[in-house]
Amino acid sequence: MSELFDAVDALLASRAALPPPEERKRLRAAHGLTIDEVATALQVRRATVSGWESGKTEPRPPERDAYARLLDGLAELYPAAVPAVPAAARVGGPAASPEPAAAPGPGIGDGPAPTTRAAVADVTADQDPPPPAAAPADPPRPGRAAGPAAAPASRRPRGRRAAPATPPAVTGDPRFEHGPLAVVDAADDGQVRAYCVGGLVLETSAASLPALVDWALQEAGLGQPKLSGPGKDADPLLVLTATALQRFGLPAALTDEERLAGRVPEEHRVVKQLTRADWQLTRRGLGPWARIYRPAQGRQRACVQLCIPSWDALDTRHWGDAGHLPPAELARVLGVYASRVMTPRGSTAVTGLELMTALHPPTRASAPAPDGTRHSEHNPGSLGRDPVDCAPCEAPDGHPLLADLPRFHVRGPDEKLFEEAYDWARPMTDAECTLRHLVGLDVNLAFGAGANGLTVGLGAPTRVASPVFDPGLPGSWLVDLSHVDLSKVRSGKEWVELDGSLLPSPFTPKGERPEGPAWYATPTVAYAVELGYEVAPVEAYVRHDHGRYLDGWYQRLRDAYLATMADLGVGTDLSPADFLAAMDGCKERDPHLAIVVSAIKATVKGGLGKLRERPRGEGWRPGHAWRALSRPTWRPDIRAAVISRTRVNLHRKIVRHAAVTGRYPVAVLSDCVVYAAAGPSPLDVLPYRDGKPLPGGFKLGVNPGLVKHEGTQTVLWGEEVRDRFDAPELNLARYIKDGTVTDADGGE
């Protein structure tokens, strides 16, 4: 009889109702689960779970039963909230019907040191307001102030066309019914208006910055739900226009002295207003990105983030002309970014780093004790709350670990881990000079793809003498790879013979063959083994506590990138020819979304670069600690591992391409590869057979790791540029996009 009951239960489960795909994704994210974790638990492939959440496929028995059970449990923990916007809060009275929101639609490094000290204000996690104590649940935010004078009036802008591909203002959390941020502007009619995501406009009677902060926390309904279970909600972001600054007593632009300091003086009257109102500023002060807060009470936070575009908060290299957009349009750009990545916390680099912590908070609430109390404990899979020292070979010059070295000592490869992106070029062969074109291929989100699935260290390193190499153990290895001969390597399961003189070495950023023992990250050494060569490390610093820390970070940025590119008309299922056509002019279809794409790319590179942030002024001297070292996310080993894997991923494709086509790159710069070709199109470089690409080689497409067309110039252009600067190995990949080369560039 029990067998009959089991059979009946199986039939019921096979028809079990499942929530819609978007709800499945929400429930998983609400509990802080990754797609990989769900796939492992259900014993299916990652792509299978991804298909269930996108609606492309539906689960079948027996997985459907387990999946339904998981979703039912999550739904009890995280019920869907339906926000209710009070009718009286909208202009037009109770009968007003709101309009529907628009439909959703060079290498990694620290970069050059800033010429001003404004970057000092560009944030680190230690500058966040003091974190609240862990507790089992989040209490609701303070209720809205009573009385007609305090109630926020909201209305939809009239006479303005709804912008496409803008996420709706409603987040699904009634506390944040008006979205993550608002652009505050003071109009000529005396009204102060807050432009929110989705075209919503709120009005506030705040006459000072402290009053505006109170309004943002108590009445505006701004903020963003946390990205993981043990995380914290994002604070409201207020973007102040130049007119709003003047209304609240702040300058529309900083003086040269203030720009160097990265903030207005502490004796400024607005800073004093905040102090009198019991508000505090973090160490960055009142600058382009400011945090205004009061000490947390339990889990109740009181913090507002400011962004001031006219004080250069939005770097034009990454945000284009966003800082000069009208308020509603700027709200749209930042709102799309906030909904798909996270509410900006500073520069794109800072936000990239903050996203790692938001997805893997250092602590979580413990299981309840017998008396029902909880305490804060380490969150498994995170970097923890305390910083760890790097290995001496991983330390950049000037680090306290190197304080005993002679002052002008230059460390060689056997003393210093030097994992950087490619910057390699060679003279063209006679055969290549007979071709007409140079075609550049650019790898999409190359460093993000390099982080995907990468095992990185979570704790401190352990020194090991004469170790046996373990490709699954993250760390730094002192090993001699000079014996690896690129003229004969293993590609896949077969040995292939190549012209090694036309290939860059995969072991050095300049593509030069190593001359002896040197320090390498695990992916680089593993690639030498993959090429068919034995390795014998002399020494290593390994990390036994490790995990795939960056998976969720990559997946969120990947999804943000793909969703925004899809809004620009570039989908993931296009044929090679259709993809090239869709990419042509895609940025002009919606310049605002093109800004978001640029910001997402910068978030990937900048976030990884922040893992090894260098000193930025503040009177630092070599051999002494600098501020970034106090962060648990100061991890040069993780940055090195990502760059290492990205570089060998690119080299693997180059080798496969050469083995099949006989074509070799002329130049490689970071994630861009240049080939000589008879025609101007990437299709004149990449072999496609019956519409299918070369297995293991380059493939056209929008997905991270695939390539797009970077640009095409003539071979004559390349030879003329090199002749002009008498530089046969000038890296043409740097200029392939538009062909512009300045005298300053040629003098490098």
Side-chain angles (χ1 to χ4, degrees):
M1 183 65 68
S2 62
E3 294 180 355
L4 293 177
F5 287 167
D6 290 341
V8 170
D9 290 342
L11 287 176
L12 293 174
S14 67
R15 300 295 188 270
L18 297 175
E22 58 272 14
E23 177 66 4
R24 302 170 194 174
K25 183 175 182 179
R26 185 194 72 82
L27 291 171
R28 173 181 60 77
H31 200 60
L33 298 175
T34 66
I35 292 180
D36 290 306
E37 289 173 327
V38 175
T40 300
L42 298 180
Q43 299 180 1
V44 297
R45 295 186 302 114
R46 182 186 185 283
T48 301
V49 178
S50 181
W52 297 345
E53 291 190 355
S54 65
K56 294 181 179 179
T57 60
E58 286 294 315
R60 298 179 178 179
E63 291 83 7
R64 185 184 180 96
D65 184 17
Y67 190 46
R69 183 183 181 89
L70 170 65
L71 295 176
D72 287 344
L74 293 177
E76 292 181 5
L77 294 173
Y78 309 100
V82 181
V85 179
R90 296 193 175 276
V91 171
S97 176
E99 300 175 8
I108 300 220
D110 312 304
T115 55
T116 73
R117 290 185 58 197
V120 172
D122 196 16
V123 92
T124 54
D126 62 304
Q127 293 170 320
D128 206 8
D138 290 334
R141 288 203 172 204
R144 303 205 173 187
S154 62
R155 62 176 177 83
R156 296 282 178 177
R158 298 181 180 178
R160 187 179 299 278
R161 184 174 54 188
T166 301
V170 175
T171 64
D173 190 319
R175 298 172 300 159
F176 313 126
E177 57 188 345
H178 295 147
L181 57 90
V183 179
V184 181
D185 184 64
D188 294 337
D189 59 6
Q191 289 291 336
V192 176
R193 296 185 174 91
Y195 293 79
C196 304
V197 176
L200 180 70
V201 180
L202 305 177
E203 293 182 352
T204 173
S205 58
S208 66
L209 188 57
L212 183 68
V213 172
D214 282 327
W215 172 82
L217 289 172
Q218 298 179 14
E219 304 175 29
L222 297 175
Q224 191 174 37
K226 57 189 177 182
L227 297 181
S228 66
K232 60 185 179 183
D233 299 325
D235 301 314
L237 173 63
L238 298 179
V239 185
L240 305 183
T241 66
T243 57
L245 292 173
Q246 294 175 348
R247 177 64 57 88
F248 297 125
L250 290 166
L254 297 177
T255 64
D256 291 342
E257 183 178 354
E258 291 168 343
R259 187 175 292 107
L260 287 171
R263 68 195 73 186
V264 297
E266 293 184 3
E267 59 270 17
H268 193 284
R269 68 184 184 90
V270 174
V271 177
K272 292 181 178 179
Q273 285 177 354
L274 291 168
T275 302
R276 286 196 298 269
D278 294 328
W279 290 108
Q280 299 180 30
L281 291 163
T282 57
R283 284 186 291 178
R284 73 175 67 181
L286 185 51
W289 290 94
R291 293 177 193 168
I292 303 173
Y293 73 99
R294 289 186 178 125
Q297 302 294 325
R299 283 190 60 88
Q300 184 61 51
R301 289 171 56 85
C303 180
V304 170
Q305 174 96 34
L306 297 186
C307 168
I308 306 178
S310 64
W311 293 3
D312 300 326
L314 301 176
D315 192 327
T316 55
R317 294 173 300 174
H318 310 138
W319 290 102
D321 64 349
H324 302 288
L325 292 175
E329 296 176 17
L330 178 56
R332 181 197 176 211
V333 170
L334 294 177
V336 173
Y337 180 89
S339 66
R340 293 177 177 174
V341 180
M342 71 179 299
T343 303
R345 299 288 302 274
S347 69
T348 50
V350 172
T351 304
L353 193 70
E354 294 279 353
L355 180 61
M356 297 179 194
T357 303
L359 293 169
H360 285 285
T363 59
R364 67 179 183 184
S366 68
D371 61 358
T373 61
R374 299 174 186 250
H375 64 273
S376 178
E377 66 178 14
H378 173 70
N379 184 26
S382 75
L383 298 182
R385 88 169 91 196
D386 299 318
V388 297
D389 283 336
C390 60
C393 63
E394 299 163 351
D397 293 338
H399 192 279
L401 290 175
L402 310 176
D404 294 335
L405 290 178
R407 182 175 180 184
F408 298 106
H409 177 73
V410 178
R411 293 187 294 163
D414 59 340
E415 299 175 282
K416 179 180 180 180
L417 177 69
F418 193 65
E419 294 283 12
E420 298 295 340
Y422 266 131
D423 185 356
W424 169 87
R426 63 169 175 81
M428 284 185 278
T429 65
D430 292 342
E432 289 167 340
C433 288
T434 64
L435 301 174
R436 298 186 59 184
H437 301 279
L438 294 172
V439 180
L441 306 175
D442 181 73
V443 183
N444 301 315
L445 288 189
F447 296 97
N452 183 33
L454 178 65
T455 300
V456 300
L458 301 178
T462 300
R463 182 182 178 275
V464 183
S466 302
V468 176
F469 176 67
D470 181 355
L473 195 58
S476 300
W477 309 78
L478 180 61
V479 59
D480 188 351
L481 300 181
S482 60
H483 63 291
V484 177
D485 184 3
L486 294 181
S487 63
K488 185 177 182 180
V489 298
R490 192 166 56 200
S491 178
K493 297 181 179 180
E494 58 184 14
W495 285 87
V496 296
E497 294 186 0
L498 305 170
D499 188 342
S501 65
L502 301 180
L503 287 171
S505 168
F507 309 127
T508 61
K510 290 293 184 181
E512 301 164 344
R513 187 168 180 169
E515 298 179 350
W519 285 99
Y520 302 101
T522 297
T524 301
V525 185
Y527 185 56
V529 176
E530 179 185 326
L531 291 176
Y533 292 85
E534 294 183 357
V535 297
V538 178
E539 183 182 1
Y541 286 91
V542 298
R543 290 170 169 82
H544 297 288
D545 180 13
H546 54 263
R548 291 167 57 164
Y549 175 72
L550 295 174
D551 273 11
W553 180 82
Y554 159 75
Q555 290 159 11
R556 186 162 181 86
L557 289 166
R558 174 205 61 196
D559 292 348
Y561 174 74
L562 292 179
T564 311
M565 290 301 295
D567 290 339
L568 288 170
V570 185
T572 59
D573 56 352
L574 300 176
S575 67
D578 290 341
F579 169 71
L580 292 174
M583 287 294 296
D584 187 19
C586 69
K587 294 182 179 179
E588 285 71 31
R589 293 181 199 132
D590 192 326
H592 295 167
L593 290 183
I595 293 174
V596 177
V597 170
S598 173
I600 293 171
K601 292 179 180 178
T603 303
V604 174
K605 287 189 175 182
L608 294 172
K610 278 284 182 182
L611 291 170
R612 198 192 67 167
E613 184 178 1
R614 302 300 300 275
R616 295 175 177 268
E618 300 181 297
W620 174 81
R621 291 180 297 166
H624 292 73
W626 57 93
R627 183 185 301 178
L629 298 188
S630 64
R631 296 193 323 246
T633 50
W634 192 85
R635 293 296 301 271
D637 57 298
I638 296 180
R639 171 188 176 274
V642 173
I643 295 176
S644 164
R645 190 165 187 246
T646 303
R647 195 180 64 247
V648 300
N649 281 350
L650 184 58
H651 195 273
R652 185 182 294 110
K653 288 180 170 59
I654 290 172
V655 166
R656 184 62 177 162
H657 189 79
V660 175
T661 68
R663 290 176 175 168
Y664 297 83
V666 172
V668 184
L669 180 67
S670 188
D671 48 8
C672 177
V673 187
V674 176
Y675 284 92
S681 169
L683 294 176
D684 296 310
V685 176
L686 304 181
Y688 274 82
R689 298 171 183 171
D690 299 326
K692 296 183 179 180
L694 168 71
F698 295 106
K699 177 183 177 182
L700 288 168
V702 72
N703 283 293
L706 306 188
V707 298
K708 64 178 181 295
H709 186 202
E710 178 69 3
T712 295
Q713 305 297 328
T714 65
V715 168
L716 290 177
W717 165 85
E719 290 298 277
E720 187 276 329
V721 168
R722 287 177 165 178
D723 288 343
R724 188 199 320 170
F725 298 108
D726 192 23
E729 296 182 0
L730 183 70
N731 197 327
L732 299 175
R734 183 172 281 108
Y735 319 108
I736 195 71
K737 189 167 189 175
D738 59 12
T740 302
V741 185
T742 66
D743 290 340
D745 293 330
E748 60 184 11

